[in-house]
Amino acid sequence: MPLTDLPLDELRDYRPEIPEPEGFDDFWAATLASARAAGGGEAEYRRVDDPPLATAEVYDVRFPGWDGQPVAGWLLLPTGVSGPLPGVVTYIGYTGGRGRALEHLLWCSAGYAHLVVDSRGQGHATPDPDPSPAPQYVAGFMTRGIDHPDHHYYRRLMTDCVRAVDALAAHPAVDARRVIASGISQGGGLALATAALAGDAVAAALVDVPFLCHYRRGAETASEGPYVEIARYLGWHQARTPEETFATLSYFDGVHFAPRATAPALFSAALMDPVCPPSTVFAAYNRYAGEKDIAVWPFGDHSGGRSAQRERQLRWLAERGLGGARTSG
């Protein structure tokens, strides 16, 4: 697979001029205030014992998200450790859901409380009652509600992600001062957005090969994945100009969340990534306001650094006093 983008030395200085949308902060303040005011009740946790696990307690979770609507998740707690525990909230890649709890044992094994968040409409356990009056033009989620920021799909999903931090921080087993946002691809873009929108409630962010950054560059250069949906929409639907479309998407762009995020963050980028071209990642990373580092995988595709990146994350968190709890024995 060839290199997909700019040389690394150019990427490290890549800071394109991307106009910030008018009223960005007010838009998100009103969105989150409305979601919290809608309530939806306290998060609910139902213990799951099948399959039996000796070192993890698994809970089927429902917590209130956008408009108070219930969002599904898995909560995994390590057995034999004393709390309160640091917590990790994980957001899922594009078209994926929370899957099975057995797929998510790493963070629990490392001594963290781990909340895995289902993506509304993408996962099977969380529907997306779409309030948008606009028709769906392209298969996927990128053009849902693309006529206006108020209607766009990612307004609902990003709100769910912030409310997931609220839910995990309120759990009695969790140290609310040590909640970490994490994800890969779409999940990485959601972790970045959450680090900005949740503010001090996020102690660190793990932002792997993030999607949802510099949409226009992604639509112009990605050869695979969801950015292609935007290009296809613009090619087929000529009633709106590209500027109108990207004006909607700008309210959900990591390049605008990054300057508002101050928690320490570890990013990653892969130089052979055809889905999230590395320039889209660096466009956000270079604007990030908090302490930051980035792992660059020169021969990585969209899988990034795979398990090597997970090992790096564990060490990086421990160096910042955010390591997992140890067993009492």
Short mmCIF file of all heavy atoms in Angstrom, two decimals, residues 94 136-144 146 152 154 211-222 224-238 240-250 252-253 275:
data_model
loop_
_atom_site.label_atom_id
_atom_site.label_comp_id
_atom_site.label_asym_id
_atom_site.label_seq_id
_atom_site.Cartn_x
_atom_site.Cartn_y
_atom_site.Cartn_z
N TYR A 94 -16.68 3.49 12.72
CA TYR A 94 -17.83 3.72 11.84
C TYR A 94 -18.54 2.41 11.47
O TYR A 94 -17.91 1.43 11.10
CB TYR A 94 -17.33 4.42 10.57
CG TYR A 94 -18.40 5.03 9.72
CD1 TYR A 94 -19.14 6.12 10.17
CD2 TYR A 94 -18.67 4.55 8.45
CE1 TYR A 94 -20.11 6.71 9.39
CE2 TYR A 94 -19.63 5.13 7.64
CZ TYR A 94 -20.36 6.21 8.12
OH TYR A 94 -21.33 6.80 7.33
N GLN A 136 -32.56 11.19 2.88
CA GLN A 136 -31.25 10.55 2.90
C GLN A 136 -30.78 10.36 1.47
O GLN A 136 -31.44 9.70 0.67
CB GLN A 136 -31.34 9.20 3.62
CG GLN A 136 -30.06 8.40 3.63
CD GLN A 136 -29.07 8.94 4.64
OE1 GLN A 136 -29.45 9.65 5.56
NE2 GLN A 136 -27.81 8.62 4.46
N TYR A 137 -29.61 10.96 1.14
CA TYR A 137 -29.17 10.92 -0.25
C TYR A 137 -28.15 9.82 -0.54
O TYR A 137 -28.08 9.33 -1.65
CB TYR A 137 -28.55 12.28 -0.63
CG TYR A 137 -29.55 13.40 -0.66
CD1 TYR A 137 -29.66 14.29 0.39
CD2 TYR A 137 -30.41 13.56 -1.75
CE1 TYR A 137 -30.59 15.33 0.37
CE2 TYR A 137 -31.34 14.59 -1.79
CZ TYR A 137 -31.42 15.47 -0.72
OH TYR A 137 -32.34 16.48 -0.75
N VAL A 138 -27.34 9.47 0.44
CA VAL A 138 -26.27 8.50 0.24
C VAL A 138 -26.31 7.51 1.39
O VAL A 138 -26.55 7.89 2.54
CB VAL A 138 -24.89 9.21 0.19
CG1 VAL A 138 -23.76 8.20 0.07
CG2 VAL A 138 -24.85 10.20 -0.98
N ALA A 139 -26.09 6.24 1.09
CA ALA A 139 -26.05 5.24 2.16
C ALA A 139 -24.98 5.58 3.17
O ALA A 139 -23.89 6.05 2.83
CB ALA A 139 -25.80 3.87 1.55
N GLY A 140 -25.27 5.36 4.44
CA GLY A 140 -24.33 5.69 5.51
C GLY A 140 -24.90 6.75 6.42
O GLY A 140 -26.10 7.02 6.42
N PHE A 141 -24.02 7.37 7.19
CA PHE A 141 -24.47 8.32 8.22
C PHE A 141 -24.01 9.76 7.95
O PHE A 141 -24.50 10.69 8.57
CB PHE A 141 -23.95 7.87 9.59
CG PHE A 141 -24.48 6.53 10.00
CD1 PHE A 141 -23.83 5.37 9.63
CD2 PHE A 141 -25.68 6.43 10.70
CE1 PHE A 141 -24.34 4.12 9.98
CE2 PHE A 141 -26.20 5.20 11.05
CZ PHE A 141 -25.53 4.05 10.68
N MET A 142 -23.08 9.94 7.03
CA MET A 142 -22.49 11.26 6.83
C MET A 142 -23.47 12.29 6.30
O MET A 142 -23.34 13.48 6.58
CB MET A 142 -21.30 11.17 5.88
CG MET A 142 -20.15 10.33 6.41
SD MET A 142 -19.65 10.86 8.05
CE MET A 142 -19.24 12.57 7.73
N THR A 143 -24.48 11.87 5.52
CA THR A 143 -25.40 12.84 4.95
C THR A 143 -26.74 12.90 5.68
O THR A 143 -27.66 13.59 5.24
CB THR A 143 -25.65 12.55 3.46
OG1 THR A 143 -26.32 11.29 3.32
CG2 THR A 143 -24.34 12.52 2.69
N ARG A 144 -26.85 12.21 6.80
CA ARG A 144 -28.09 12.29 7.58
C ARG A 144 -28.22 13.67 8.21
O ARG A 144 -27.42 14.06 9.04
CB ARG A 144 -28.11 11.22 8.67
CG ARG A 144 -28.28 9.81 8.15
CD ARG A 144 -28.60 8.84 9.26
NE ARG A 144 -28.76 7.49 8.74
CZ ARG A 144 -29.14 6.45 9.47
NH1 ARG A 144 -29.40 6.60 10.75
NH2 ARG A 144 -29.25 5.26 8.93
N ILE A 146 -27.82 16.55 6.73
CA ILE A 146 -26.74 17.43 6.31
C ILE A 146 -27.25 18.79 5.83
O ILE A 146 -26.46 19.68 5.53
CB ILE A 146 -25.90 16.72 5.20
CG1 ILE A 146 -24.48 17.29 5.16
CG2 ILE A 146 -26.61 16.79 3.85
CD1 ILE A 146 -23.50 16.45 4.37
N HIS A 152 -28.12 17.34 11.98
CA HIS A 152 -27.11 16.37 11.55
C HIS A 152 -26.94 15.23 12.55
O HIS A 152 -27.00 15.41 13.77
CB HIS A 152 -25.76 17.05 11.31
CG HIS A 152 -24.85 16.21 10.46
ND1 HIS A 152 -23.85 15.43 10.98
CD2 HIS A 152 -24.83 16.00 9.12
CE1 HIS A 152 -23.24 14.78 9.99
NE2 HIS A 152 -23.82 15.12 8.86
N TYR A 154 -24.36 13.63 13.62
CA TYR A 154 -23.29 13.68 14.61
C TYR A 154 -23.59 14.63 15.77
O TYR A 154 -22.94 14.55 16.81
CB TYR A 154 -21.95 13.99 13.95
CG TYR A 154 -21.35 12.74 13.35
CD1 TYR A 154 -21.49 12.46 11.99
CD2 TYR A 154 -20.73 11.79 14.15
CE1 TYR A 154 -21.00 11.28 11.45
CE2 TYR A 154 -20.22 10.62 13.62
CZ TYR A 154 -20.37 10.37 12.28
OH TYR A 154 -19.89 9.19 11.76
N PHE A 211 -11.15 9.84 12.59
CA PHE A 211 -12.08 10.32 11.57
C PHE A 211 -12.71 11.61 12.11
O PHE A 211 -12.43 12.04 13.22
CB PHE A 211 -13.11 9.20 11.34
CG PHE A 211 -14.26 9.53 10.44
CD1 PHE A 211 -14.07 10.17 9.24
CD2 PHE A 211 -15.55 9.17 10.80
CE1 PHE A 211 -15.15 10.45 8.41
CE2 PHE A 211 -16.63 9.44 9.99
CZ PHE A 211 -16.43 10.09 8.79
N LEU A 212 -13.54 12.26 11.31
CA LEU A 212 -14.28 13.47 11.72
C LEU A 212 -13.37 14.67 11.89
O LEU A 212 -13.62 15.54 12.72
CB LEU A 212 -15.08 13.23 13.01
CG LEU A 212 -15.96 11.98 13.05
CD1 LEU A 212 -16.58 11.80 14.45
CD2 LEU A 212 -17.06 12.06 12.00
N CYS A 213 -12.30 14.73 11.11
CA CYS A 213 -11.35 15.86 11.17
C CYS A 213 -11.08 16.37 9.76
O CYS A 213 -10.74 15.57 8.88
CB CYS A 213 -10.03 15.42 11.82
SG CYS A 213 -10.16 14.87 13.53
N HIS A 214 -11.21 17.68 9.58
CA HIS A 214 -10.95 18.32 8.29
C HIS A 214 -11.72 17.60 7.18
O HIS A 214 -11.16 17.00 6.26
CB HIS A 214 -9.46 18.35 8.00
CG HIS A 214 -9.06 19.34 6.94
ND1 HIS A 214 -9.95 20.09 6.21
CD2 HIS A 214 -7.81 19.71 6.51
CE1 HIS A 214 -9.30 20.87 5.37
NE2 HIS A 214 -8.01 20.67 5.54
N TYR A 215 -13.04 17.69 7.27
CA TYR A 215 -13.92 16.96 6.37
C TYR A 215 -13.62 17.24 4.90
O TYR A 215 -13.66 16.33 4.07
CB TYR A 215 -15.38 17.34 6.64
CG TYR A 215 -15.98 16.79 7.91
CD1 TYR A 215 -15.92 17.50 9.10
CD2 TYR A 215 -16.62 15.57 7.90
CE1 TYR A 215 -16.50 17.00 10.26
CE2 TYR A 215 -17.21 15.05 9.05
CZ TYR A 215 -17.13 15.78 10.23
OH TYR A 215 -17.71 15.28 11.37
N ARG A 216 -13.34 18.50 4.59
CA ARG A 216 -13.13 18.81 3.17
C ARG A 216 -11.90 18.10 2.63
O ARG A 216 -11.94 17.51 1.54
CB ARG A 216 -13.02 20.32 2.96
CG ARG A 216 -12.86 20.70 1.50
CD ARG A 216 -13.33 22.09 1.18
NE ARG A 216 -13.60 22.23 -0.24
CZ ARG A 216 -14.48 23.09 -0.74
NH1 ARG A 216 -15.20 23.85 0.05
NH2 ARG A 216 -14.64 23.17 -2.05
N ARG A 217 -10.81 18.14 3.39
CA ARG A 217 -9.60 17.44 2.97
C ARG A 217 -9.88 15.93 2.84
O ARG A 217 -9.43 15.29 1.89
CB ARG A 217 -8.48 17.69 3.97
CG ARG A 217 -7.20 16.94 3.71
CD ARG A 217 -6.41 17.52 2.57
NE ARG A 217 -5.14 16.83 2.41
CZ ARG A 217 -4.27 17.08 1.45
NH1 ARG A 217 -4.54 18.03 0.55
NH2 ARG A 217 -3.13 16.41 1.36
N GLY A 218 -10.62 15.39 3.79
CA GLY A 218 -10.96 13.98 3.71
C GLY A 218 -11.76 13.64 2.48
O GLY A 218 -11.50 12.65 1.78
N ALA A 219 -12.76 14.47 2.16
CA ALA A 219 -13.59 14.23 0.99
C ALA A 219 -12.79 14.34 -0.30
O ALA A 219 -13.09 13.67 -1.30
CB ALA A 219 -14.76 15.19 0.97
N GLU A 220 -11.77 15.18 -0.30
CA GLU A 220 -10.96 15.40 -1.50
C GLU A 220 -9.88 14.33 -1.69
O GLU A 220 -9.44 14.11 -2.83
CB GLU A 220 -10.31 16.77 -1.43
CG GLU A 220 -11.29 17.92 -1.56
CD GLU A 220 -10.65 19.28 -1.29
OE1 GLU A 220 -9.53 19.32 -0.72
OE2 GLU A 220 -11.28 20.30 -1.63
N THR A 221 -9.44 13.67 -0.61
CA THR A 221 -8.27 12.80 -0.73
C THR A 221 -8.48 11.35 -0.32
O THR A 221 -7.72 10.49 -0.76
CB THR A 221 -7.09 13.37 0.10
OG1 THR A 221 -7.47 13.42 1.48
CG2 THR A 221 -6.70 14.76 -0.38
N ALA A 222 -9.45 11.05 0.52
CA ALA A 222 -9.64 9.65 0.96
C ALA A 222 -10.13 8.80 -0.21
O ALA A 222 -11.02 9.21 -0.97
CB ALA A 222 -10.63 9.58 2.11
N GLU A 224 -11.06 5.48 0.45
CA GLU A 224 -11.95 4.49 1.04
C GLU A 224 -12.64 5.11 2.25
O GLU A 224 -12.18 6.11 2.79
CB GLU A 224 -11.15 3.25 1.50
CG GLU A 224 -10.39 2.53 0.41
CD GLU A 224 -9.56 1.39 0.97
OE1 GLU A 224 -9.82 0.94 2.11
OE2 GLU A 224 -8.63 0.95 0.27
N GLY A 225 -13.73 4.48 2.69
CA GLY A 225 -14.34 4.86 3.95
C GLY A 225 -15.37 5.95 3.87
O GLY A 225 -15.80 6.37 2.79
N PRO A 226 -15.78 6.49 5.01
CA PRO A 226 -16.95 7.38 5.07
C PRO A 226 -16.75 8.75 4.46
O PRO A 226 -17.74 9.38 4.06
CB PRO A 226 -17.25 7.48 6.57
CG PRO A 226 -16.01 7.03 7.25
CD PRO A 226 -15.35 6.06 6.35
N TYR A 227 -15.51 9.27 4.37
CA TYR A 227 -15.34 10.55 3.68
C TYR A 227 -15.81 10.45 2.23
O TYR A 227 -16.26 11.44 1.65
CB TYR A 227 -13.89 10.99 3.71
CG TYR A 227 -13.37 11.49 5.04
CD1 TYR A 227 -12.22 10.94 5.60
CD2 TYR A 227 -14.00 12.54 5.71
CE1 TYR A 227 -11.73 11.41 6.82
CE2 TYR A 227 -13.52 13.01 6.92
CZ TYR A 227 -12.38 12.43 7.47
OH TYR A 227 -11.89 12.90 8.67
N VAL A 228 -15.71 9.27 1.66
CA VAL A 228 -16.15 9.07 0.27
C VAL A 228 -17.64 9.33 0.14
O VAL A 228 -18.11 9.76 -0.92
CB VAL A 228 -15.78 7.65 -0.19
CG1 VAL A 228 -16.31 7.38 -1.60
CG2 VAL A 228 -14.26 7.47 -0.16
N GLU A 229 -18.41 9.10 1.21
CA GLU A 229 -19.85 9.39 1.17
C GLU A 229 -20.10 10.87 0.91
O GLU A 229 -21.05 11.23 0.21
CB GLU A 229 -20.50 8.99 2.50
CG GLU A 229 -20.50 7.50 2.77
CD GLU A 229 -21.05 7.18 4.15
OE1 GLU A 229 -21.83 8.01 4.69
OE2 GLU A 229 -20.71 6.12 4.69
N ILE A 230 -19.26 11.73 1.48
CA ILE A 230 -19.43 13.17 1.26
C ILE A 230 -19.16 13.52 -0.20
O ILE A 230 -19.92 14.26 -0.83
CB ILE A 230 -18.49 13.97 2.18
CG1 ILE A 230 -18.73 13.62 3.65
CG2 ILE A 230 -18.69 15.47 1.96
CD1 ILE A 230 -17.70 14.20 4.60
N ALA A 231 -18.05 12.98 -0.73
CA ALA A 231 -17.73 13.24 -2.14
C ALA A 231 -18.84 12.73 -3.05
O ALA A 231 -19.22 13.40 -4.03
CB ALA A 231 -16.40 12.58 -2.48
N ARG A 232 -19.37 11.54 -2.74
CA ARG A 232 -20.44 10.98 -3.56
C ARG A 232 -21.68 11.86 -3.49
O ARG A 232 -22.35 12.13 -4.50
CB ARG A 232 -20.74 9.55 -3.10
CG ARG A 232 -21.73 8.82 -3.98
CD ARG A 232 -21.87 7.37 -3.54
NE ARG A 232 -20.61 6.64 -3.68
CZ ARG A 232 -20.01 6.02 -2.68
NH1 ARG A 232 -20.53 6.03 -1.46
NH2 ARG A 232 -18.89 5.37 -2.90
N TYR A 233 -22.01 12.32 -2.29
CA TYR A 233 -23.16 13.22 -2.12
C TYR A 233 -23.00 14.49 -2.95
O TYR A 233 -23.91 14.92 -3.65
CB TYR A 233 -23.31 13.55 -0.64
CG TYR A 233 -24.26 14.69 -0.34
CD1 TYR A 233 -25.63 14.48 -0.29
CD2 TYR A 233 -23.77 15.97 -0.10
CE1 TYR A 233 -26.51 15.52 -0.01
CE2 TYR A 233 -24.64 17.02 0.18
CZ TYR A 233 -26.00 16.80 0.22
OH TYR A 233 -26.85 17.83 0.49
N LEU A 234 -21.82 15.09 -2.88
CA LEU A 234 -21.58 16.34 -3.60
C LEU A 234 -21.58 16.10 -5.11
O LEU A 234 -21.95 16.99 -5.89
CB LEU A 234 -20.26 16.96 -3.15
CG LEU A 234 -20.26 17.50 -1.72
CD1 LEU A 234 -18.85 17.89 -1.29
CD2 LEU A 234 -21.20 18.69 -1.59
N GLY A 235 -21.16 14.91 -5.54
CA GLY A 235 -21.18 14.61 -6.96
C GLY A 235 -22.57 14.35 -7.50
O GLY A 235 -22.87 14.68 -8.66
N TRP A 236 -23.43 13.78 -6.66
CA TRP A 236 -24.77 13.41 -7.12
C TRP A 236 -25.81 14.50 -6.85
O TRP A 236 -26.78 14.62 -7.59
CB TRP A 236 -25.23 12.14 -6.42
CG TRP A 236 -24.50 10.91 -6.85
CD1 TRP A 236 -23.61 10.79 -7.88
CD2 TRP A 236 -24.61 9.62 -6.26
NE1 TRP A 236 -23.14 9.50 -7.95
CE2 TRP A 236 -23.73 8.75 -6.98
CE3 TRP A 236 -25.34 9.10 -5.19
CZ2 TRP A 236 -23.58 7.40 -6.66
CZ3 TRP A 236 -25.18 7.75 -4.88
CH2 TRP A 236 -24.32 6.91 -5.60
N HIS A 237 -25.63 15.26 -5.79
CA HIS A 237 -26.66 16.19 -5.34
C HIS A 237 -26.16 17.62 -5.58
O HIS A 237 -25.39 18.16 -4.80
CB HIS A 237 -26.97 15.98 -3.87
CG HIS A 237 -28.12 16.79 -3.37
ND1 HIS A 237 -29.40 16.64 -3.84
CD2 HIS A 237 -28.17 17.77 -2.46
CE1 HIS A 237 -30.20 17.49 -3.23
NE2 HIS A 237 -29.49 18.20 -2.39
N GLN A 238 -26.61 18.19 -6.68
CA GLN A 238 -26.10 19.50 -7.11
C GLN A 238 -26.93 20.68 -6.61
O GLN A 238 -26.58 21.83 -6.89
CB GLN A 238 -26.03 19.53 -8.64
CG GLN A 238 -25.19 18.41 -9.24
CD GLN A 238 -23.71 18.56 -8.92
OE1 GLN A 238 -23.26 19.64 -8.58
NE2 GLN A 238 -22.96 17.47 -9.02
N ARG A 240 -27.24 21.85 -3.65
CA ARG A 240 -26.52 22.64 -2.65
C ARG A 240 -25.07 22.75 -3.07
O ARG A 240 -24.50 21.84 -3.67
CB ARG A 240 -26.61 21.99 -1.26
CG ARG A 240 -28.01 21.81 -0.76
CD ARG A 240 -28.01 21.18 0.63
NE ARG A 240 -27.64 22.12 1.66
CZ ARG A 240 -26.82 21.86 2.68
NH1 ARG A 240 -26.23 20.69 2.76
NH2 ARG A 240 -26.56 22.76 3.59
N THR A 241 -24.45 23.86 -2.73
CA THR A 241 -23.04 24.05 -3.05
C THR A 241 -22.18 23.29 -2.04
O THR A 241 -22.61 23.00 -0.92
CB THR A 241 -22.66 25.53 -2.98
OG1 THR A 241 -22.77 25.98 -1.62
CG2 THR A 241 -23.58 26.37 -3.88
N PRO A 242 -20.94 22.95 -2.42
CA PRO A 242 -20.04 22.34 -1.44
C PRO A 242 -19.87 23.19 -0.19
O PRO A 242 -19.77 22.67 0.92
CB PRO A 242 -18.73 22.20 -2.21
CG PRO A 242 -19.15 22.09 -3.64
CD PRO A 242 -20.35 22.99 -3.76
N GLU A 243 -19.86 24.51 -0.35
CA GLU A 243 -19.68 25.39 0.80
C GLU A 243 -20.82 25.23 1.80
O GLU A 243 -20.60 25.26 3.01
CB GLU A 243 -19.58 26.85 0.33
CG GLU A 243 -18.27 27.20 -0.35
CD GLU A 243 -18.10 26.54 -1.72
OE1 GLU A 243 -19.13 26.25 -2.38
OE2 GLU A 243 -16.94 26.30 -2.12
N GLU A 244 -22.05 25.07 1.33
CA GLU A 244 -23.17 24.86 2.23
C GLU A 244 -23.02 23.54 3.00
O GLU A 244 -23.30 23.47 4.20
CB GLU A 244 -24.48 24.85 1.45
CG GLU A 244 -24.89 26.20 0.88
CD GLU A 244 -26.13 26.09 0.02
OE1 GLU A 244 -26.11 25.35 -0.97
OE2 GLU A 244 -27.14 26.76 0.35
N THR A 245 -22.59 22.51 2.30
CA THR A 245 -22.43 21.20 2.94
C THR A 245 -21.33 21.24 4.00
O THR A 245 -21.52 20.78 5.13
CB THR A 245 -22.10 20.15 1.87
OG1 THR A 245 -23.22 20.01 1.01
CG2 THR A 245 -21.77 18.81 2.52
N PHE A 246 -20.18 21.82 3.65
CA PHE A 246 -19.09 21.86 4.61
C PHE A 246 -19.37 22.84 5.74
O PHE A 246 -18.81 22.69 6.83
CB PHE A 246 -17.77 22.19 3.90
CG PHE A 246 -17.28 21.06 3.04
CD1 PHE A 246 -17.22 21.19 1.66
CD2 PHE A 246 -16.93 19.84 3.60
CE1 PHE A 246 -16.78 20.15 0.87
CE2 PHE A 246 -16.51 18.78 2.82
CZ PHE A 246 -16.43 18.93 1.44
N ALA A 247 -20.26 23.80 5.52
CA ALA A 247 -20.68 24.68 6.62
C ALA A 247 -21.42 23.90 7.69
O ALA A 247 -21.23 24.12 8.89
CB ALA A 247 -21.54 25.82 6.08
N THR A 248 -22.28 22.97 7.28
CA THR A 248 -22.94 22.09 8.26
C THR A 248 -21.92 21.22 8.98
O THR A 248 -21.89 21.15 10.22
CB THR A 248 -23.97 21.19 7.55
OG1 THR A 248 -25.06 21.99 7.08
CG2 THR A 248 -24.52 20.14 8.52
N LEU A 249 -21.03 20.58 8.23
CA LEU A 249 -20.08 19.65 8.82
C LEU A 249 -19.08 20.35 9.73
O LEU A 249 -18.50 19.71 10.63
CB LEU A 249 -19.34 18.90 7.71
CG LEU A 249 -20.20 17.96 6.86
CD1 LEU A 249 -19.41 17.41 5.70
CD2 LEU A 249 -20.76 16.84 7.71
N SER A 250 -18.87 21.64 9.55
CA SER A 250 -17.87 22.35 10.35
C SER A 250 -18.22 22.37 11.84
O SER A 250 -17.33 22.50 12.68
CB SER A 250 -17.70 23.79 9.84
OG SER A 250 -18.89 24.54 10.04
N PHE A 252 -19.01 19.90 13.49
CA PHE A 252 -18.68 18.58 14.02
C PHE A 252 -17.24 18.19 13.66
O PHE A 252 -16.88 17.02 13.70
CB PHE A 252 -19.68 17.55 13.46
CG PHE A 252 -21.09 18.02 13.57
CD1 PHE A 252 -21.74 18.59 12.48
CD2 PHE A 252 -21.76 17.97 14.78
CE1 PHE A 252 -23.03 19.08 12.58
CE2 PHE A 252 -23.06 18.46 14.90
CZ PHE A 252 -23.70 19.02 13.80
N ASP A 253 -16.43 19.19 13.37
CA ASP A 253 -15.08 18.96 12.84
C ASP A 253 -14.04 19.02 13.96
O ASP A 253 -14.00 19.98 14.73
CB ASP A 253 -14.76 20.02 11.78
CG ASP A 253 -13.58 19.64 10.90
OD1 ASP A 253 -12.63 19.03 11.41
OD2 ASP A 253 -13.63 19.96 9.70
N VAL A 275 -8.28 5.70 4.52
CA VAL A 275 -9.60 6.04 5.07
C VAL A 275 -9.56 7.41 5.75
O VAL A 275 -10.42 8.27 5.51
CB VAL A 275 -10.06 4.95 6.06
CG1 VAL A 275 -11.38 5.34 6.71
CG2 VAL A 275 -10.20 3.61 5.35
#
